[in-house]
Amino acid sequence: MTQVRTYLDDAASTPLCPEAREAMFRVSAMTGNPTSMHAQGRALRAEIDTARAAVAALLGVQEEEVVFTSGASEADGLAVRGVLRAVRAAHLGVLPRVAVSGIEHAAVLATVHAAEADGQCVADVVDAGKDGVVSVDAVRAAITPETVLVAVMWVNNVIGTVQPVRDIGAAVKAERVRRVASVENGKKPLPIVFLCDAVQALRTEDAFPHEAGIDLMAISSHKIYGPRGMGALIIAPGTPYASPLGGGGHEGGRRHGTENVEAIAGFGAAARVLRERHAADRAHAVALRDALIAGLAARIPEATLVCADSPRVPGTVFLRFPRMNGDEVALRLDAAGIAVSAGSACDAGTRK
């Protein structure tokens, strides 16, 4: 008898929506290269343009700000390396600093540390409090005259706590204004920009980068009912960025390599669907979360909800169980037909 399974792991990857599947199937039948000038190439380029417009509309940005990538991890890496490369080229002799939260996804945190090991920057790690939130005051304290990049995610990918990104964006903007006002002798002020990984925020939060003062934002398709292996980096106008990769100048010279048009079309379709049902999707997630927490409290009262009093997204419930580790709980639930994660899916293969 086939086991009926329950999937409770949308934070790792959401199901593919029918609209995205249909768009991908349709585009997969199209022949050509989107950079070619002939009719087939132009048709594929039109698919990319349509998807870019859909993603831009979801985020409230201009189409030219959307750079398609293979996922949010690549987008994060491009952002960190791209800013450092641009700054070091424009400000010779300056060793830039990066203020990065200690709860970032490895795509950000590991990239910053790797850049530090390469002598490209100095990393200043800002720890979160016991509430799972990085305070604005801690971020301000970490900003030095050489800080060029502040990196704080919108929503933590494990415990689901929402970070004060709007206040952090305002703090970065205030520092930028201060630098411009204090520059002397016509020198170019050292830039400072805000990078935000918004992967876990996009489905249920109002994640508009301009409104939050975000200069670079990484997002992922497969967290909003789109295909895996597709994401985007949003680059606000005027943001210092130089592609750290060589290649053929795709995506406006900001990310190189022939575009995955099928996945891009699926991403665009998913973005349109999410924009239409965003409020309903959030309300549904809230109802499911409340029912889950209430049921667990009644049946397993000794279970602890981590950061229960902190601002959290409705789609993530992080629990501790007495005398059992997370992997054991996840494996037992999997055997019972219930899919959950014991931490970040990206880190699952590296845990000992």
Side-chain angles (χ1 to χ4, degrees):
M1 182 176 179
T2 303
Q3 183 187 56
V4 177
R5 295 191 59 82
T6 300
Y7 185 79
L8 298 179
D9 203 14
D10 278 7
S13 190
T14 54
L16 187 68
C17 67
E19 293 85 351
R21 184 180 294 108
E22 190 280 329
M24 295 174 71
F25 181 78
R26 173 176 51 77
V27 173
S28 69
M30 300 170 68
T31 301
N33 188 307
T35 60
S36 298
M37 297 181 64
H38 49 60
Q40 287 93 335
R42 294 197 304 273
L44 288 169
R45 177 56 53 187
E47 293 287 347
I48 294 175
D49 292 342
T50 298
R52 199 186 309 276
V55 173
L58 176 65
L59 303 174
V61 302
Q62 298 299 311
E63 294 173 29
E64 56 268 24
E65 297 176 55
V66 179
V67 178
F68 287 120
T69 67
S70 66
S73 289
E74 183 194 358
D76 283 326
L78 287 175
V80 172
R81 294 283 191 176
V83 168
L84 292 177
R85 186 179 185 191
V87 170
R88 287 172 63 83
H91 299 268
L92 298 177
V94 173
L95 182 60
R97 303 183 77 97
V98 178
V100 57
S101 91
I103 58 171
E104 291 302 292
H105 189 281
V108 173
L109 202 55
T111 302
V112 171
H113 286 311
E116 183 178 40
D118 292 341
Q120 297 180 10
C121 71
V122 175
D124 297 306
V125 178
V126 184
D127 291 327
K130 292 182 179 180
D131 58 356
V133 175
V134 176
S135 77
V136 181
D137 288 341
V139 172
R140 288 196 191 98
I143 295 175
T144 74
E146 292 77 34
T147 302
V148 301
L149 180 64
V150 173
V152 180
M153 64 193 343
W154 201 307
V155 173
N156 181 261
N157 55 304
V158 176
I159 58 179
T161 49
V162 180
Q163 307 304 310
V165 293
R166 293 177 179 84
D167 292 336
I168 293 171
V172 172
K173 181 179 179 180
E175 173 63 15
R176 184 183 303 131
V177 171
R178 187 199 66 76
R179 292 182 184 183
V180 171
S182 62
V183 71
E184 297 177 352
N185 302 323
K187 292 182 179 179
K188 183 183 294 186
L190 196 65
I192 181 169
V193 298
F194 180 22
L195 164 63
C196 184
D197 181 319
V199 168
Q200 297 294 342
L202 203 56
R203 189 161 69 94
T204 58
E205 306 305 294
D206 293 325
F208 303 118
H210 292 337
E211 180 264 336
I214 294 167
D215 303 294
L216 297 141
M217 191 165 90
I219 58 174
S220 177
S221 163
H222 73 114
K223 305 301 173 79
I224 62 164
Y225 311 110
R228 294 175 289 267
M230 177 50 53
L233 174 63
I234 312 304
I235 306 177
T239 301
Y241 175 85
S243 175
L245 305 175
H250 303 81
E251 292 297 292
R254 297 168 296 183
R255 190 263 183 176
H256 307 290
T258 300
E259 294 91 344
N260 183 347
V261 189
E262 291 89 343
I264 288 173
F267 190 9
R272 285 188 291 273
V273 169
L274 180 61
R275 191 180 181 207
E276 293 170 359
R277 71 185 197 197
H278 188 268
D281 206 41
R282 178 180 172 82
H284 182 59
V286 169
L288 290 177
R289 176 200 62 190
D290 292 348
L292 175 62
I293 292 174
L296 286 168
R299 292 168 176 79
I300 315 175
E302 62 272 23
T304 303
L305 177 62
V306 177
C307 298
D309 297 326
S310 300
R312 292 176 295 113
V313 288
T316 300
V317 176
F318 190 81
L319 296 154
R320 285 199 182 103
F321 295 89
R323 299 176 298 281
M324 294 181 69
N325 65 42
D327 287 340
E328 182 182 0
V329 173
L331 288 171
R332 288 192 178 192
L333 287 173
D334 185 56
I338 301 172
V340 300
S341 283
S344 169
C346 295
D347 295 334
T350 64
R351 289 200 302 271
K352 301 296 184 182

